[in-house]
Amino acid sequence: MTLAEVLAQDSQRLRQAPGLDLRTARLEVQILLCHALGVARSWLISHDRDALTGPAAQAYAALLTRRLAGEPIAYIVGSREFFGLEFKATPAVLIPRPETELLVELALARIPENQPCRVLDLGTGSGAIAISIAKNRPLATVTAVDQSLEALAVARENALRLDALNVRFLHSDWFGALGEEKFALIVTNPPYIETADKHLQHGDVRFEPLSALASGADGLDDIRRIAAVAPIHLEAGGWLLFEHGYDQGERCREMLRQRGFLKVETIRDLAGLERVSMGLGARKPG
Ligand code: GLN
């Protein structure tokens, strides 16, 4: 079969997978073909009359089988683009998501370009947030923590590959290993899905670490904990910014106000959904 025929046939097959439209299915088949052939997408498009044969055909068939079984494309090819950078992604870490780029943008807007600044990323996973911030603010020092050693290994590898020298990685359950350290900015994309949410049984999330997704009956266990302890670790005038579910904005704002945060607000993502809440740490945590 030619590459064009493979693309036409297999994008129809992949489209049967829940949640995949034809455009996404075509894109994913192209990504798998590129991975198997070791070529760029532009090559694929200009060589679509070539036949798919030999070891590349076998490699591609194996990749497609995994995708048809539901495994996320990012784990199959081993990487995902985030904030213009290529991050290694394994099942030890949550796959970086486009909506999380909003958190990075909001963080960057609060970090000076021309002076040092201490930033903390809680539950760094692949390191996508911490490394994106570090690359865009070379004078900042980013501390990235995770309770998973496997995740930290992936994050460290990403920092090395992307040449992010101003990130420090630490094994820590939220603030656990941070002692008295204070930061000008604390960012986090914590788990926030309700443990019983049926969404956890479908699509990519089935393959991702549950510890990065689910957080108690209302999904807010970890955010509550973070909001309670963050004031102790914020410098005067420091910000806490975190991602949450589309229907958790009001509860998150309330929680921040109760913990004494000022200038509490929620920002919507590109889909118009409440996605990131933030507050300015007050001097005396209550
Ligand atoms: N936004 C992700 C999802 O709904 C969840 C990420 C998270 O819990 N931090 O799949």
Side-chain angles (χ1 to χ4, degrees):
M1 273 204 293
T2 67
L3 291 170
E5 286 163 349
V6 171
L7 180 59
Q9 176 195 290
D10 290 346
S11 38
Q12 287 299 342
R13 285 176 73 191
L14 203 51
R15 199 181 153 200
Q16 312 300 321
L20 278 197
D21 55 46
L22 186 58
R23 206 170 140 260
T24 312
R26 278 180 66 87
L27 181 65
E28 292 201 354
V29 172
Q30 287 177 326
I31 292 170
L32 296 179
L33 281 170
C34 288
H35 198 66
L37 290 159
V39 298
R41 232 173 117 224
S42 52
W43 186 95
L44 201 66
I45 292 161
S46 58
H47 289 74
D48 69 348
R49 291 184 179 184
D50 287 15
L52 181 64
T53 52
Q58 282 167 19
Y60 166 74
L63 298 175
L64 183 72
T65 304
R66 287 168 65 186
R67 186 62 189 116
L68 288 169
E71 196 176 333
I73 193 101
Y75 290 156
I76 297 174
V77 301
S79 68
R80 168 60 46 92
E81 198 211 287
F82 178 85
F83 220 75
L85 301 166
E86 191 75 15
F87 288 91
K88 174 176 170 166
T90 76
V93 302
L94 192 80
I95 300 165
R97 290 160 161 68
E99 61 267 29
T100 305
E101 293 180 339
L102 172 66
L103 180 64
V104 174
E105 277 165 20
L106 293 167
L108 290 177
R110 284 162 182 76
I111 304 171
E113 285 189 62
N114 49 7
Q115 65 191 71
C117 176
R118 291 172 52 81
V119 179
L120 172 64
D121 175 26
L122 294 167
T124 198
S126 65
I129 297 170
I131 294 167
S132 300
I133 291 174
K135 293 292 289 180
N136 285 281
R137 289 292 181 276
L139 295 184
T141 309
V142 184
T143 298
V145 308
D146 208 291
Q147 48 83 31
S148 157
L149 284 170
E150 276 178 288
L152 280 178
V154 175
R156 281 200 176 95
E157 195 180 325
N158 277 323
L160 207 64
R161 284 185 187 200
L162 294 165
D163 211 20
L165 302 173
N166 50 333
V167 192
R168 163 179 79 132
F169 294 98
L170 215 60
H171 185 215
S172 177
D173 184 6
W174 299 135
F175 298 97
L178 288 169
E180 305 269 286
E181 281 193 56
K182 292 193 192 300
F183 303 87
L185 201 87
I186 299 174
V187 296
T188 178
N189 174 18
Y192 54 70
I193 299 175
E194 296 173 14
T195 305
D197 193 330
K198 288 196 291 288
H199 166 71
L200 292 169
Q201 318 304 328
H202 302 283
D204 284 8
V205 288
R206 288 171 299 165
F207 293 79
E208 295 182 287
L210 192 61
S211 63
L213 292 164
S215 187
D218 64 356
L220 293 169
D221 280 5
D222 287 288
I223 290 178
R224 258 190 295 275
R225 209 170 137 204
I226 290 165
V229 185
I232 302 167
H233 293 276
L234 280 173
E235 296 170 359
W239 288 91
L240 169 66
L241 281 88
F242 59 92
E243 181 175 318
H244 53 70
Y246 71 95
D247 57 352
Q248 295 171 331
E250 182 57 48
R251 282 173 287 166
C252 289
R253 289 191 295 278
E254 186 52 36
M255 201 188 299
L256 288 172
R257 287 191 202 102
Q258 276 178 10
R259 292 290 173 186
F261 283 90
L262 306 169
K263 299 195 178 173
V264 171
E265 97 177 276
T266 301
I267 308 294
R268 291 175 189 270
D269 63 18
L270 286 175
L273 305 171
E274 290 197 325
R275 184 58 64 194
V276 175
S277 285
M278 63 180 97
L280 188 66
R283 289 259 32 179
K284 287 236 163 69

